[in-house]
Amino acid sequence: MTPPGEVAAVGLALQGETAGGAAPVEPLRVGIVGGGFMARVHAGAARAAGARVVALASSSASSAGRAAGALGVDTAHETVDDLVRDPRVDVVHVCSPNATHAPVALAALAAGKHVICEKPLATSAAEATALVEAAAAGGLVGAVPFVYRYHPMVREARARVAAGEAGRVLSVRGSYLQDWLLDSGDVDWRVDSAAGGPSRAFADIGSHLVDLLEFVIGDRLARLTSTTNRAHDSRGGTRVDTEDEAAVVFETLGGAIGTLFVSQVAPGRKNRLLLDVSGTAESLEFSQEEPETLWVGRRSGARLVPRDASILSPDAARLSTVPAGHPMGYVDAFAAFVRDAHDAVRGGAPEGLPTFADGLRAARVTEAVLDSAAGRTWVDVP
C-alpha cells in the first residue's frame, strides 16, 4: 500500500505537468532539524506538498536515528552541520528548541539552503534581524509557519476587512488559551529560558495571535501596555523564569484599540485561538477550534458564513482544497503553508506567505510586551 503522504506527492507532481505533456517538476528535497511533535507535523506537511523528506538531524545521532525511523526518513545525520551541508537537501525545516533556531537557520542559509523555521524565529529581535538580512543577501526563502493564516475562513475575514465590508476597524479582541502547563509537575524544555528564550507563553502562542490580528485587519500595533503572570514559581523542582500568561492592551497605527490575552494554564482549553474584530459596519469572529465558519454580525442580525468555495473570496476559495462539508483544520492549514513556501522556493509569489520579516515583527512585539510588563508602562512597538 502506498503511504498517504506519497499519494499526495504523486497527485501534486501530476498537477505540475503541462498540457503538452512535459515532465513533472522534480520534488523539492527537505531536511528536518528536530525529532519531536513539530518534526512530525513538518514531515507530513512537506510530503502533502509533494516534497521528499530525505534527511533528519536532532540533538544527538541516536535521537536522530529514532526520529528518522519513526518518520520514515532514510538518512539520519549525526550532526546538524552534516544535514545543512548535505547536497541533496534543498530546504531545511528547523523544528528544534527555540534557542537553536537562529544558529541553525543561519548555518542553513550560509550553506545556500532555503529555510522554514518554527516560531519564534529567534529569541531576540537582533537575532531575527540577522536572519532576515542573511536570507535577503543570499536570495533565499525564509518562512515562518504562522499557519493560522491558512485557514480559509481567516482569509475570508481578511478579504472582508480589505474590501471595506466591515467598515473602519474600531476594536479587536484576541485570545489564545491552552492548559498543557496547568500543573506544577508539567515540565517542558520551553519552561527553561535557556532553551525557550526569555518569553514563553507570549513568544510561543502570542506570536501566532499578533500575526493573525495584523494579517486580518491590515494594520499594525503601534503601542501597548502589558502584564504577565506565572502560575508556579517552580516546576519539577526547578525555578521558572518565564511567563504562563500575558495580558496586553494596545493601539494600532490606524487608530483601533484592543486587547490580547494568552495563557498556557487555562483549564479545559486545549488550543483555543479566537479573533474578534469590530468595525463600523460589521463584526467578524474566527475561532480556530471551529474553523469551518466565520461569524459575521451586523446591527440588523448575525450569521455564520460556511466554508463553501462558491461564496468565498478568491484567496479563501484557493485554500478550500476539499468540498464544503468535508472538515478542514490545522493539518490542512499547515500543508497549505508548506505548499506556498515551497512555491516561493521555486520562484512563485504566493499571497500571504509569512516570511522571516514576519518572524522579526513577532520578536519585536514580544520584546515590547516584556519591556512593558517589566516597566509597568506603555511602550511603542518598533
Side-chain angles (χ1 to χ4, degrees):
M1 178 180 291
T2 303
E6 293 184 21
V7 172
V10 169
L12 286 167
L14 291 173
Q15 290 175 23
E17 294 187 1
T18 65
V25 175
E26 275 295 310
L28 289 176
R29 298 164 300 178
V30 165
I32 294 177
V33 178
F37 168 71
M38 291 315 304
R40 295 198 301 275
V41 173
H42 279 252
R47 286 167 173 151
R52 292 173 51 217
V53 183
V54 299
L56 185 145
S58 190
S59 56
S60 67
S62 58
S63 63
R66 288 192 298 272
L71 295 176
V73 180
D74 290 339
T75 300
H77 282 295
E78 290 192 4
T79 69
V80 172
D81 285 342
D82 289 341
L83 183 139
V84 301
R85 290 197 301 263
D86 188 336
R88 299 173 304 151
V89 172
D90 302 309
V91 187
V92 175
H93 288 234
V94 182
C95 310
S96 50
N98 299 351
T100 69
H101 289 180
V104 171
L106 281 171
L109 293 169
K113 312 297 187 185
H114 304 278
V115 178
I116 294 175
C117 182
E118 262 302 323
K119 49 78 201 163
L121 175 60
T123 56
S124 72
E127 287 183 328
T129 298
L131 286 167
V132 171
E133 292 173 350
L140 298 164
V141 171
V144 179
F146 289 129
V147 297
Y148 298 118
R149 291 187 180 196
Y150 280 85
H151 284 295
M153 302 316 290
V154 164
R155 297 296 177 110
E156 181 65 14
R158 182 181 188 235
R160 295 180 76 92
V161 172
E165 294 183 48
R168 178 169 61 90
V169 174
L170 299 174
S171 61
V172 186
R173 288 148 299 282
S175 61
Y176 199 158
L177 309 178
Q178 299 174 333
D179 70 356
W180 68 288
L181 289 171
L182 179 60
D183 298 329
S184 62
D186 295 326
V187 179
D188 184 83
W189 60 260
R190 292 171 180 83
V191 172
D192 179 8
S193 61
S199 171
R200 175 169 30 96
F202 199 87
D204 188 26
I205 59 178
S207 57
H208 272 301
L209 188 57
V210 170
D211 180 79
L212 190 66
L213 182 160
E214 294 189 338
F215 182 70
V216 167
I217 68 173
D219 194 3
R220 292 208 160 189
L221 275 62
R223 56 198 304 262
L224 59 81
T225 184
S226 66
T227 186
T228 60
N229 186 40
R230 189 180 302 128
H232 307 288
D233 289 330
S234 65
R235 290 178 178 273
T238 302
R239 295 286 296 178
V240 175
D241 58 358
T242 53
E243 80 283 357
D244 289 309
E245 299 180 309
V248 180
V249 177
F250 65 86
E251 299 173 356
T252 72
L253 292 171
I257 61 174
T259 61
L260 300 172
F261 183 72
V262 300
S263 175
Q264 293 177 323
V265 291
R269 298 299 190 183
K270 302 308 177 185
N271 203 51
R272 186 181 184 274
L273 181 152
L274 184 110
L275 184 68
D276 183 10
V277 177
S278 292
T280 54
E282 69 181 21
S283 294
L284 305 166
E285 182 182 278
F286 173 80
S287 172
Q288 196 273 152
E289 291 185 342
E290 295 86 31
E292 288 288 280
T293 57
L294 177 70
W295 183 87
V296 178
R298 287 181 169 262
R299 189 167 186 178
S300 57
R303 65 190 179 103
L304 287 176
V305 176
R307 185 191 58 76
D308 182 343
S310 67
I311 63 172
L312 299 180
S313 64
D315 198 27
R318 173 180 78 92
L319 296 174
S320 292
T321 54
V322 296
H326 299 73
M328 294 180 64
Y330 173 78
V331 170
D332 303 286
F334 215 107
F337 157 73
V338 173
R339 279 198 302 274
D340 271 8
H342 288 186
D343 178 33
V345 168
R346 296 187 187 282
E351 171 64 24
L353 175 68
T355 67
F356 276 10
D358 298 298
L360 170 58
R361 172 65 180 169
R364 286 175 170 161
V365 174
T366 299
E367 288 188 347
V369 168
L370 293 184
D371 289 346
S372 174
R376 297 287 180 175
T377 186
W378 282 86
V379 171
D380 292 333
V381 181

